[in-house]
Amino acid sequence: MEAFFERGSGLRLWASGDAAATQLAITQTWPPIIAAAGLAPCVRAWTPSSEVKTEFEPVAELREADGPRFVSVAMQDELMIAADASPSGHIFLWDVHSWRRVQALEAGAEISCLSVCSNHIAAGTVSGYVRVWRRAGAGKEFLPLFDPDLQLDGKPLYNVRLGPAPDGSCMLVVHSLGKNRIGVWRLTNGKLVHTLGLPGTPGDAAAAAAANVMYSFLVGNVLALVSWAQGSSPVVQLLDVLSRQGSVLEAPDRLAGRPRPLSADFDGSTLVVGFQDGALCAFGFKGWIRFLPGAVGAVRLLPERQQLLCGCADNTIRLWSLAGTQLAQLDLGFQPVTIAAFDVGAVVGSHTGDVQIVTLGAAPENVEEAEDEQAGGSSSSSSSSAGVASGLTPSRSPHANVAQYDLHFDARGVLSDPSAFGPARLRQHSYEKFVRPRVFVTAAEVAEASATSAAAALGKEAESIAMPAIPLPVSMSPGEEEAALAAARQQAQRKMGEETGVARGAAVELSSSSASMGQRCSNPTCLVRERLGAAVFRRCGACKQRRYCSAHCQRTHWRDGHSKECAQLLARGPMQG
């Protein structure tokens, strides 16, 4: 590995002082276009001047957005997309060829996370709702998909993911912190596919740890979650969001007693996690753990090379094989806090705002031989047959004094406080005004959310759980009051993507605890039950044995098979079927 810029001459996020570059986005070409954001009131980008003499020029057009801190930056097709932390939650889109700002979106609340996929943008907010935009194609404007937004929680949403569905469409997956549930929407029609509850016994520490999802990745149908709560070991979960099957990874050799995870990455087959105590852990075909002399604040998998990169608080970046052999190491002179990779290298952001390019060179042709050589004289190797077979790998002991990160920030222009800059550990009060502290749920809150969900499943207090309170006029007749409440129920269901008459692509099922919520719509692709709908179910006029929540569900079920079934049910008589 080699550093592209000489030490001290690289790119800088913030010219006015030190401020960590915590977010990076790059194009997958050499030389890449680089975008960065972090703990300064700006977003920056640099473009290569030419392929012959590679120099990087700052993009002056982005200075128009200076003012708030930016929480996320992404590259998608011809666009650079950046979301700020302002109270209105702005998302700016620039064309990376002309650097003309082509659109500005507004989330309506401070943005806590951003996800981009194909022609969709999704923003989670600190107010607990998701706003999704969609465009018809390249060059078109992004328009809101849901009206109103998906109000999922009263707590901030940190895990909102967009990804391609098997049929080529886009799906939305959201973890609700306050309810400890995952919702899945298919964005071709904006309708809810289903919701999933995360495992754990409500009220215990493990359930609290599982609920506090720190990192999430959606690759195909597979959702990988890395969770943690103070005083508990981390929890790693893998879920198939369409088949609703999944498991908690049992890996006490790598997870038991580990402190807070600082970084993670997942490519569909391997999950790698870096921890505050210097542990670097891999989960996949070969599971292993290594201990480094500094906290591991950045990791990035390189699937095409069958390798991974990690950044460590001891100022180093390290290259590993997926079997756990360290292949190279480079002292950067700064603490790497984020890594973005492309085909021949990586871009690294630092704790003070330096942005460096690291070239990796050719991938080694015989990694296994290097691993076997290491195995001969060290108990830290993971390539012995026993280690591979069992999934347990020997590891060296943790280091006595593990270097920790010392992030710098500059909020002087945001807080109007001349002292609001420098190391975050020395200006904690100002730093927490600038960067909203992460919200964690406790075991008691998880238990309360579980009890509330159980009550909803039994048809009790449903309005107080899933539906917002809607003020009613002072004077109402009983009939008017019932109609207003029915309209409120329907509005809340529509907001959650669960409107009466929603037909999905395959038959879906609710849990057995929902049996007392009323008879279910006879369309097997609909989840609506009679006691939850705004209208009384209507019977099929011919067989009298199938009941539907809407004319839409009746028509689609007739098309999908009831046209053949109806005559048979009628012949059997009213007590059959």
Side-chain angles (χ1 to χ4, degrees):
M1 287 192 296
E2 293 184 0
F4 182 80
F5 300 112
E6 293 184 4
R7 187 169 295 190
S9 64
L11 309 176
R12 291 280 295 174
L13 172 65
W14 186 235
S16 301
D18 291 342
T22 59
Q23 302 285 329
L24 288 173
I26 61 175
T27 55
Q28 294 298 307
T29 57
W30 175 260
I33 298 173
I34 302 171
L39 304 184
C42 70
V43 60
R44 292 290 181 262
W46 299 268
T47 59
S49 55
S50 71
E51 295 184 6
V52 178
K53 184 180 180 182
T54 306
E55 296 179 350
F56 290 84
E57 302 291 338
V59 178
E61 287 83 349
L62 269 59
R63 295 184 182 276
E64 65 176 347
D66 284 5
R69 178 177 66 90
F70 280 76
V71 299
S72 185
V73 61
M75 295 283 190
Q76 181 67 34
D77 299 328
E78 78 285 5
L79 297 175
M80 173 187 151
I81 304 169
D84 71 20
S86 67
S88 298
H90 298 115
I91 302 173
F92 300 105
L93 290 76
W94 287 275
D95 183 294
V96 298
H97 302 297
S98 65
W99 290 107
R100 177 179 64 90
R101 192 174 77 181
V102 296
Q103 196 172 358
L105 308 174
E106 188 170 303
E110 182 179 332
I111 295 171
S112 48
C113 62
L114 183 76
S115 185
V116 179
C117 176
S118 184
N119 291 314
H120 294 80
I121 299 173
T125 68
V126 299
S127 300
Y129 66 81
V130 179
R131 183 164 291 183
V132 182
W133 296 266
R134 178 169 63 187
R135 65 176 179 175
K140 304 292 185 179
E141 281 198 344
F142 283 88
L143 300 174
L145 179 60
F146 294 100
D147 184 19
D149 299 310
L150 295 175
Q151 182 71 49
L152 304 179
D153 206 340
K155 296 184 182 296
L157 297 175
Y158 298 119
N159 295 277
V160 175
R161 293 289 174 261
L162 291 170
D167 61 1
S169 62
C170 188
M171 61 181 173
L172 170 70
V173 179
V174 183
H175 172 253
S176 168
L177 178 64
K179 298 177 182 177
N180 194 24
R181 297 192 67 82
I182 292 171
V184 183
W185 286 261
R186 195 179 298 275
L187 297 186
T188 49
N189 54 14
K191 298 305 181 182
L192 181 71
V193 178
H194 49 237
T195 63
L196 309 166
L198 294 183
T201 302
D204 67 10
N212 288 286
V213 177
M214 306 290 290
Y215 301 98
S216 62
F217 306 92
L218 181 63
V219 181
N221 299 346
V222 179
L223 180 70
L225 305 174
V226 180
S227 308
W228 174 83
Q230 186 72 42
S232 300
S233 296
V235 178
V236 174
Q237 303 168 76
L238 295 177
L239 305 169
D240 187 312
V241 296
L242 295 184
S243 70
R244 296 181 291 178
Q245 296 181 350
S247 63
V248 177
L249 295 187
E250 298 294 340
D253 61 310
R254 282 154 281 168
L255 295 175
R258 291 272 78 75
R260 181 172 183 159
L262 300 182
S263 55
D265 196 18
F266 179 62
D267 64 2
S269 59
T270 299
L271 173 69
V272 60
V273 187
F275 291 94
Q276 196 171 24
D277 64 350
L280 176 67
C281 301
F283 308 84
F285 177 68
K286 293 187 178 181
W288 47 267
I289 183 170
R290 299 289 180 268
F291 288 100
L292 306 180
V296 182
V299 294
R300 185 66 59 205
L301 286 159
L302 311 172
E304 293 184 0
R305 299 172 61 99
Q306 293 294 293
Q307 295 172 350
L308 68 91
L309 284 166
C310 79
C312 191
D314 68 347
N315 294 352
T316 63
I317 185 171
R318 301 165 188 250
L319 181 67
W320 302 79
S321 75
L322 293 185
T325 299
Q326 182 172 312
L327 305 174
Q329 176 177 322
L330 179 64
D331 188 336
L332 295 171
F334 58 69
Q335 294 179 327
V337 297
T338 186
I339 300 171
F342 56 102
D343 54 354
V344 296
V347 180
V348 185
S350 87
H351 72 299
T352 54
D354 294 286
V355 178
Q356 176 66 275
I357 298 174
V358 175
T359 57
L360 301 179
E365 296 180 0
N366 202 341
V367 175
E368 291 299 330
E369 287 187 5
E371 293 164 355
D372 290 341
E373 183 179 343
Q374 179 175 330
S378 171
S379 63
S380 64
S381 170
S382 65
S383 58
S384 67
S385 59
V388 172
S390 65
L392 306 179
T393 59
S395 62
R396 59 176 69 95
S397 300
H399 291 261
N401 297 303
V402 177
Q404 297 299 318
Y405 279 91
D406 191 20
L407 298 181
H408 287 236
F409 77 107
D410 192 336
R412 286 174 288 186
V414 177
L415 302 180
S416 300
D417 178 358
S419 65
F421 73 101
R425 59 183 172 82
L426 300 180
R427 302 282 191 274
Q428 195 68 29
H429 180 69
S430 297
Y431 178 72
E432 290 184 355
K433 283 185 176 181
F434 185 50
V435 180
R436 183 187 295 265
R438 189 182 185 99
V439 174
F440 289 86
V441 292
T442 64
E445 288 174 313
V446 173
E448 181 180 357
S450 178
T452 302
S453 298
L458 293 174
K460 301 174 182 177
E461 303 178 348
E463 283 107 350
S464 66
I465 296 157
M467 304 177 185
I470 297 180
L472 301 176
V474 176
S475 169
M476 285 188 124
S477 68
E480 291 172 332
E481 183 175 348
E482 179 58 31
L485 289 174
R489 283 196 295 269
Q490 188 173 25
Q491 181 182 5
Q493 288 170 343
R494 184 181 297 113
K495 181 176 285 191
M496 292 296 293
E498 191 60 281
E499 185 181 4
T500 300
V502 173
R504 299 167 180 82
V508 289
E509 294 290 339
L510 287 172
S511 63
S512 59
S513 61
S514 64
S516 63
M517 296 170 72
Q519 179 168 322
R520 178 175 157 176
C521 176
S522 293
N523 188 324
T525 65
C526 183
L527 287 179
V528 173
R529 288 183 178 266
E530 191 166 16
R531 286 178 59 186
L532 296 181
V536 176
F537 281 17
R538 302 297 182 185
R539 294 189 181 196
C540 170
C543 69
K544 311 291 186 185
Q545 296 182 45
R546 294 291 181 258
R547 293 176 175 84
Y548 299 98
C549 65
S550 65
H552 169 74
C553 274
Q554 183 176 13
R555 287 194 303 270
T556 56
H557 192 211
W558 181 265
R559 176 199 67 197
D560 295 338
H562 185 57
S563 58
K564 298 178 181 178
E565 174 194 50
C566 188
Q568 298 172 357
L569 293 176
L570 183 60
R572 292 177 190 172
M575 299 303 295
Q576 304 297 319

